């Protein structure tokens, strides 16, 4: 199987061009290639496929093999891949996802895509603002926002020092979230800058989460903590998020990087 390793702010995936390749067992393949000891090493697998509705389709799988609906960092890299590799020859494209069609504006320098702005669609508030929840015996307040996938945003101090490996899984599998949830822990610096760490369902802590950053920006505005445009600082870097409240759409801008490409053998006992 030919593949390309790509990353957006360190949120890394193995990409397969399914205009040319076929992946018959994506769940098992995702688990195998994602292993940082026995495979390639990534946060998951993304298949770039033909689409009857858009310029291409993004089919994504988390490192545990579960299928994801949407990935903000992943879709930016999809945009870079299809342009840089000649699948599309335009800088305004549409990508089909399980969360719907997303429009991408590709920002090109020296013939290669450097950054991408994604119309992430309309956010959906999925909880009361500051809804109370008890996790591991401690009460928190969260604001639920869906960006095509579920997010629980928790505001707190000391985000950089918190034990995310303990609290993250407890939020993810809490009975309040029967389909599991992504959880963002956010410290507000000022009205245009916040710090975020994320525990992604099916993947654990990652260096960045694009949909999570969008959910955070919306939750910040709903809670009156920031304006409608904010720089979200993640472990892997900064995403700029703008919530156009008049049209009720969220726009995310950030980098997309191709790391390397290669081939890997998939044997029965591997997948």
């Amino acid at each position: 199987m030919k593949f390309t390793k790509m990353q957006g702010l360190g949120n890394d995936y193995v990409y397969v061009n399914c205009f040319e390749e076929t992946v018959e067992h994506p769940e098992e393949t995702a688990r195998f290639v994602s292993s940082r000891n026995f495979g390639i090493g990534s946060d998951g697998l993304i298949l770039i496929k033909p689409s009857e509705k858009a310029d291409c389709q993004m089919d994504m799988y988390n490192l545990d093999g579960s299928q994801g609906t949407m990935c903000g960092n992943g879709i930016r890299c999809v945009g870079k891949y299809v342009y840089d590799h000649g699948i599309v020859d335009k800088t305004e494209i549409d990508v089909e996802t399980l969360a719907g069609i997303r429009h991408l504006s590709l920002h090109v320098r020296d013939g290669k895509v450097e950054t991408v702005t994604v119309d992430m669609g309309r956010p959906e508030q999925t909880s009361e603002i500051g809804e109370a929840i008890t996790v591991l015996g401690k009460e928190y307040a969260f604001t639920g926002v869906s960006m095509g996938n579920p997010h629980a945003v928790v505001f707190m101090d000391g985000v950089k020092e918190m034990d995310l490996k303990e609290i993250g899984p407890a939020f993810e599998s809490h009975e309040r979230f029967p389909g599991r949830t992504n959880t963002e822990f956010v410290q507000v610096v000022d009205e245009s800058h916040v710090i975020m760490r994320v525990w992604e369902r099916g993947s654990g802590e990652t260096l960045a989460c694009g949909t999570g950053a969008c959910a955070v920006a919306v939750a910040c505005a709903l809670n009156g903590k920031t304006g409608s445009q904010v720089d979200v600082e993640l472990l892997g870097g900064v995403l700029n998020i703008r919530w156009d409240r008049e049209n009720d759409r969220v726009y995310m801008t950030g980098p997309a990087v191709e790391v390397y490409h290669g081939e890997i053998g998939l044997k029965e006992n591997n997948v």
Side-chain angles (χ1 to χ4, degrees):
M1 182 183 78
K2 294 180 180 179
F3 71 90
T4 300
K5 178 75 173 288
M6 305 185 77
Q7 58 90 4
L9 297 185
N11 192 194
D12 59 339
Y13 287 87
V14 172
Y15 291 77
V16 179
N17 179 357
C18 290
F19 284 79
E20 301 176 354
E21 298 274 333
T22 299
V23 179
E24 295 183 353
H25 305 286
E27 297 87 354
E28 294 87 347
T29 301
R31 288 194 290 267
F32 171 58
V33 300
S34 297
S35 171
R36 300 191 187 274
N37 299 107
F38 299 102
I40 298 167
S42 68
D43 291 323
L45 171 72
I46 291 181
L47 309 179
I48 303 174
K49 298 179 174 181
S51 169
E52 296 181 355
K53 304 176 181 178
D55 294 291
C56 65
Q57 177 186 354
M58 180 179 80
D59 186 14
M60 67 161 294
Y61 297 83
N62 299 308
L63 60 81
D64 67 354
S66 61
Q67 189 173 28
T69 55
M70 178 58 186
C71 175
N73 293 308
I75 200 171
R76 293 201 313 276
C77 290
V78 169
K80 176 177 175 62
Y81 185 96
V82 296
Y83 183 90
D84 288 4
H85 291 264
I87 295 174
V88 302
D89 61 357
K90 53 188 179 180
T91 57
E92 299 289 330
I93 67 170
D94 292 321
V95 178
E96 179 185 354
T97 77
L98 287 181
I101 293 176
R102 297 292 184 259
H103 183 78
L104 279 61
S105 298
L106 312 179
H107 311 300
V108 178
R109 176 180 291 184
D110 298 326
K112 300 289 185 181
V113 173
E114 189 171 71
T115 61
V116 179
T117 297
V118 185
D119 179 348
M120 298 289 285
R122 290 182 171 85
E124 178 188 357
Q125 185 179 331
T126 57
S127 77
E128 298 177 2
I129 296 176
E131 180 177 322
I133 186 172
T134 300
V135 180
L136 298 179
K138 182 177 178 179
E139 185 170 294
Y140 296 85
F142 79 94
T143 298
V145 177
S146 173
M147 292 301 308
N149 58 354
H151 296 271
V153 180
V154 179
F155 295 100
M156 59 186 295
D157 294 324
V159 165
K160 292 184 177 180
E161 295 77 32
M162 68 179 297
D163 187 355
L164 190 54
K165 289 184 178 179
E166 178 183 15
I167 191 67
F171 263 94
E172 176 183 358
S173 301
H174 193 279
E175 62 182 8
R176 170 64 176 79
F177 312 109
R180 298 189 297 166
T181 190
N182 305 283
T183 311
E184 288 75 32
F185 300 91
V186 182
Q187 183 172 338
V188 178
V189 178
D190 56 43
E191 64 180 11
S192 62
H193 178 200
V194 300
I195 299 170
M196 160 187 149
R197 287 176 68 187
V198 58
W199 185 270
E200 294 195 53
R201 62 174 182 174
S203 294
E205 182 173 20
T206 59
L207 295 179
C209 176
T211 57
C214 293
V216 163
V218 171
C220 284
L222 288 174
N223 283 272
K225 295 182 179 295
T226 70
S228 58
Q229 183 161 332
V230 62
D231 287 330
V232 181
E233 178 184 339
L234 306 104
L235 294 179
V238 177
L239 290 173
N240 180 264
I241 311 297
R242 178 173 65 89
W243 182 19
D244 182 343
R245 300 189 74 163
E246 181 177 349
N247 295 310
D248 195 27
R249 303 192 75 85
V250 180
Y251 297 88
M252 171 193 64
T253 300
V257 178
E258 182 172 319
V259 183
Y260 61 87
H261 62 270
E263 296 183 19
I264 189 169
L266 300 178
K267 301 177 181 179
E268 284 295 322
N269 61 350
N270 286 337
V271 298

